[in-house]
């Protein structure tokens, strides 16, 4: 089995295309086949190397590795269409020689006028075939005189093209509705339908899995396989990924590019898992599966016909699952850019990384995405009693007799206590309870406000040890200074008094 993903490098990798790549990859891995990456860059105006590099980066980030491709080569290369022009040229010559191709001298303006007239008359806008009957020698003479024609493929008349789509079942097309497609443009560049057939055939692709938007190209491609004497592959057309309004997912709906989802703090394993679930179900009631498990279970037969709606809520749910499972050190490293973006400037090193990793589980347990981590952990770095007391109703509450008592006792207890870990915090809380007679919220809420500077946040027996771990960091830890619980309590009492 040989499958391919064939993106056009004209922008960022769209999640719909990433899903196409993923399904190809899953099938290849399931059957021990090869996954080929081919860059379809014949649209010179719109293709860029930056886009190609971005697509490769995003595929790698998702964990979709390829066995043959533009960067690593392979036995059926080159893998960029712009480097295969000689091949298209030679097959176009073959089609001209056999009469299955012909030169078309129609100008763009002529073709446009033809199209407008057809549309106005309610006829399908297909090529009229004006140049079909120009004799070969006449065409050669016009070329010799300086005209630059396109090459069209002569679609046989009165035929029905039938193919068995691995997802959609039997598909039929009448050739009479298909106008003769351009296979080589006047500027010498190959058209998509032609290049793709030459490439898929020469690269020995056995299964073409792509978006449903290409299904109307398939009969043209099948005719070209036939004309060139190649064996066609199996085709599978996947329903497109839709927005909530059931139109194809586009910028109008919000983020569409893999890079955007990365920038919002989704983990690659979450995006992969979620994309696999759009239009396919692993069965057995399981939805949360790592990429290798997805590959073990994947089959085209189970890919559904109906379009899948991209549901960011569900993606967030999948992401939460992977955030909870992920290694804390990895999360810490991934979170660093998000801290910097949020204005918490850091470049953690050594114990700074360990500190951040230790703090990560309490954030990861309660966010949808990594970009929400800095807010969740900001209490470590930006403690200010004034800011805490400025919150609505906080000063009144904290100046009440009971809260005042708790805070004063807390400051006193911490004055002589060692830095808090979980056990020590529990011991301090127990002692405060005895001493002040407060319990539950009346005890813990003032402690939270005084030590984290916030009315809400992670569990105190996680948050306070994290603060005190941070307070012990050396200067070269690469994170902003963390004020310890003892110092916070003292400062809070001071400000409360003033
Ligand atoms: N370059 C085409 C695209 O990005 C590939 C279509 C195909 O897989 O045949 O849509």
């Amino acid at each position: 089995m040989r499958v391919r993903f064939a993106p056009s490098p004209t922008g960022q990798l769209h999640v719909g295309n990433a899903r196409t790549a993923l399904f190809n990859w899953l099938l290849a891995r399931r059957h021990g086949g090869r996954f080929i990456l081919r860059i379809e860059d014949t649209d010179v105006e719109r293709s860029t190397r930056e886009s190609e590099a971005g697509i490769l980066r995003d595929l790698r980030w998702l964990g979709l590795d390829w066995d043959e491709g533009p960067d690593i080569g392979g036995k059926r290369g080159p893998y960029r269409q712009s480097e295969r022009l000689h091949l298209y040229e030679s097959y176009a010559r073959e089609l001209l020689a056999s009469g299955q191709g012909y030169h078309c001298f129609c100008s763009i303006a002529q073709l446009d006028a033809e199209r407008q007239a057809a549309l106005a008359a309610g006829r399908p806008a297909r090529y009229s075939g004006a140049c079909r009957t120009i004799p070969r020698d006449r065409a050669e003479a016009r070329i010799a005189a300086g005209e630059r024609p396109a090459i069209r493929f002569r679609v046989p008349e009165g035929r029905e093209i039938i193919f068995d789509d691995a997802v959609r079942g039997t598909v039929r097309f009448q050739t009479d509705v298909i106008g003769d497609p351009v296979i080589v443009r006047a500027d010498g560049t190959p058209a998509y339908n032609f290049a793709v057939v030459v490439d898929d055939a020469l690269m020995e692709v056995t299964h073409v899995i792509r978006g449903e938007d290409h299904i109307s190209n398939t009969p043209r491609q099948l005719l070209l396989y036939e004309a060139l004497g190649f064996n066609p592959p199996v085709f599978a057309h996947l329903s497109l990924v839709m927005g909530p309004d059931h139109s194809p997912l586009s910028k109008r709906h919000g983020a569409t590019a893999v890079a955007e989802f990365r920038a919002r703090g989704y983990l690659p394993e979450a995006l992969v898992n979620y994309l696999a679930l759009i239009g396919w179900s692993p069965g057995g009631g399981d939805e949360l599966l790592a990429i290798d498990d997805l590959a073990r279970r994947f089959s085209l037969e189970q890919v559904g016909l109906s379009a899948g709606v991209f549901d960011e809520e569900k993606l967030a749910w999948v992401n939460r699952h992977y955030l909870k499972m992920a290694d804390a050190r990895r999360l810490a490293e991934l979170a660093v850019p998000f801290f910097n973006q949020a204005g918490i400037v850091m470049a953690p090193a050594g114990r700074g990384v360990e500190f951040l990793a230790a703090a990560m589980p309490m954030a990861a347990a309660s966010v949808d995405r990594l970009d929400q981590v800095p807010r969740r952990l900001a209490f470590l770095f930006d403690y200010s009693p004034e800011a805490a007391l400025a919150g609505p109703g906080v000063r009144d509450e904290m100046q009440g007799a009971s809260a005042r008592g708790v805070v004063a006792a807390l400051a006193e207890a911490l004055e002589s206590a060692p830095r808090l870990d979980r056990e020590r915090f529990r011991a301090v809380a127990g002692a405060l309870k005895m001493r002040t007679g407060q319990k539950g919220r009346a005890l813990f809420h003032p402690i939270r406000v005084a030590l984290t500077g916030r009315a809400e946040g992670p569990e105190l027996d996680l948050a306070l040890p994290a603060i005190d771990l941070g307070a012990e960091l050396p200067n070269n830890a690469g994170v902003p200074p963390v004020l310890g619980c003892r110092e916070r309590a003292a400062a809070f009492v001071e400000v409360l008094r003033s």
Side-chain angles (χ1 to χ4, degrees):
M1 170 178 293
R2 290 172 61 82
V3 298
R4 83 322 191 258
F5 177 56
S8 305
T10 55
Q12 292 189 309
L13 180 63
H14 185 285
V15 285
N17 288 336
R19 170 170 158 274
T20 300
L22 172 62
F23 281 22
N24 276 285
W25 186 93
L26 291 173
L27 197 70
R29 294 299 173 255
R30 167 88 172 79
H31 294 283
R34 287 174 79 79
F35 178 59
I36 303 165
L37 177 62
R38 180 173 75 228
I39 300 297
E40 306 214 319
D41 59 350
T42 53
D43 183 342
V44 193
E45 308 248 290
R46 294 175 60 228
S47 301
T48 66
R49 278 297 166 103
E50 293 79 71
S51 161
E52 178 189 314
I55 291 169
L56 266 61
R57 179 199 58 211
D58 292 347
L59 290 171
R60 273 193 207 105
W61 178 73
L62 289 168
L64 306 181
D65 54 340
W66 48 95
D67 306 304
E68 296 168 34
D71 54 335
I72 51 171
K75 63 174 178 150
R76 295 283 175 266
Y79 294 91
R80 260 183 218 106
Q81 289 190 328
S82 58
E83 294 162 13
R84 300 173 63 81
L85 299 177
H86 56 290
L87 296 167
Y88 312 128
E89 225 181 279
S90 102
Y91 284 100
R93 246 184 277 120
E94 202 174 284
L95 288 176
L96 283 171
S98 67
Q100 291 166 293
Y102 63 90
H103 287 113
C104 172
F105 297 87
C106 297
S107 67
I108 307 261
Q110 240 169 305
L111 294 171
D112 269 350
E114 225 176 63
R115 193 174 309 126
Q116 297 305 335
L119 289 176
R123 279 182 280 120
R126 66 184 178 106
Y127 178 57
S128 66
C131 296
R132 259 192 162 214
T133 49
I134 299 177
R136 189 84 199 275
D137 53 349
R138 179 76 202 112
E140 297 296 347
R142 287 176 71 171
I143 294 167
E147 282 192 71
R148 284 281 157 269
I151 302 173
R152 284 188 190 266
F153 173 64
R154 197 184 297 276
V155 171
E157 283 162 63
R159 290 233 341 243
E160 188 178 42
I161 306 293
I162 304 175
F163 66 95
D164 206 6
D165 189 287
V167 169
R168 321 202 83 76
T170 306
V171 180
R172 295 162 188 272
F173 279 92
Q174 304 297 329
T175 57
D176 291 348
V177 303
I178 308 173
D180 293 347
V182 168
I183 55 173
V184 179
R185 299 187 194 92
D187 66 4
T189 58
Y192 159 72
N193 276 312
F194 180 55
V196 84
V197 167
V198 171
D199 290 346
D200 285 338
L202 297 185
M203 291 181 183
E204 296 172 2
V205 169
T206 59
H207 294 69
V208 167
I209 303 157
R210 62 185 171 200
E212 196 189 9
D213 48 335
H214 284 292
I215 200 160
S216 62
N217 289 318
T218 306
R220 294 170 179 81
Q221 293 176 15
L222 281 166
L223 288 167
L224 283 164
Y225 275 96
E226 186 182 285
L228 292 167
F230 294 137
N231 279 330
V234 173
F235 288 95
H237 290 91
L238 308 172
S239 301
L240 300 185
V241 176
M242 299 293 178
D245 62 354
H246 292 263
S247 70
L249 184 71
S250 74
K251 288 220 179 350
R252 222 155 38 79
H253 299 111
T256 55
V258 168
E260 289 174 281
F261 288 95
R262 177 176 50 235
R264 286 158 87 154
Y266 288 102
L267 295 174
E269 60 269 40
L271 191 53
V272 157
N273 192 158
Y274 176 64
L275 289 176
L277 300 178
I278 303 181
W280 174 66
S281 161
D286 296 336
E287 291 207 292
L288 297 169
L289 292 168
I291 193 164
D292 293 334
D293 295 319
L294 293 169
R296 266 191 280 283
R297 301 207 196 179
F298 188 76
S299 83
L300 282 175
E301 290 71 46
Q302 288 161 343
V303 173
L305 276 177
S306 56
V309 171
F310 192 87
D311 174 0
E312 196 165 343
E313 296 256 319
K314 183 157 182 189
L315 171 60
W317 170 72
V318 176
N319 204 47
R320 282 199 296 278
H321 167 75
Y322 286 102
L323 282 171
K324 284 188 198 118
M325 306 238 308
D327 173 62
R329 242 189 130 85
R330 171 177 169 231
L331 286 185
E333 272 156 26
L334 290 174
V336 168
F338 294 101
F339 276 106
N340 284 301
Q341 265 163 42
I344 303 175
V345 177
M346 58 168 70
R351 284 176 57 192
V353 178
E354 277 162 41
F355 161 68
L356 213 55
M360 213 42 74
M362 72 179 147
S366 60
V367 297
D368 288 347
R369 306 185 305 262
L370 286 169
D371 65 349
Q372 296 163 336
V373 166
R375 248 197 96 178
R376 206 59 201 158
L377 294 185
F379 74 89
L380 293 169
F381 306 107
D382 70 353
Y383 178 77
S384 148
E386 289 84 357
L389 287 164
V394 178
R395 188 173 272 273
D396 286 349
E397 187 190 348
M398 297 306 288
Q399 278 178 331
S402 105
R404 263 189 114 94
V406 170
V407 172
L410 172 70
E412 205 186 303
L414 293 185
E415 210 172 303
S416 53
R419 295 284 178 206
L420 298 180
D421 58 16
R422 197 188 273 228
E423 276 63 49
R424 285 198 206 105
F425 166 62
R426 284 186 180 157
V428 167
L432 288 186
K433 184 175 170 185
M434 299 278 287
R435 172 123 185 245
T436 62
Q438 304 295 343
K439 58 181 192 211
R441 189 177 190 279
L443 176 65
F444 289 108
H445 194 66
I447 298 179
R448 173 179 295 285
V449 175
L451 296 186
T452 70
R454 282 153 173 85
E456 290 171 4
E459 301 284 329
L460 284 180
D461 59 356
L462 299 174
L464 305 186
I467 291 172
D468 271 359
L469 192 63
E472 301 275 77
L473 286 176
N475 287 337
N476 63 2
V479 298
V482 179
L483 193 66
C485 289
R486 181 188 307 138
E487 294 77 6
R488 291 182 181 205
F492 196 86
V493 167
E494 194 70 20
V495 174
L496 197 58
R497 220 182 268 139
S498 61

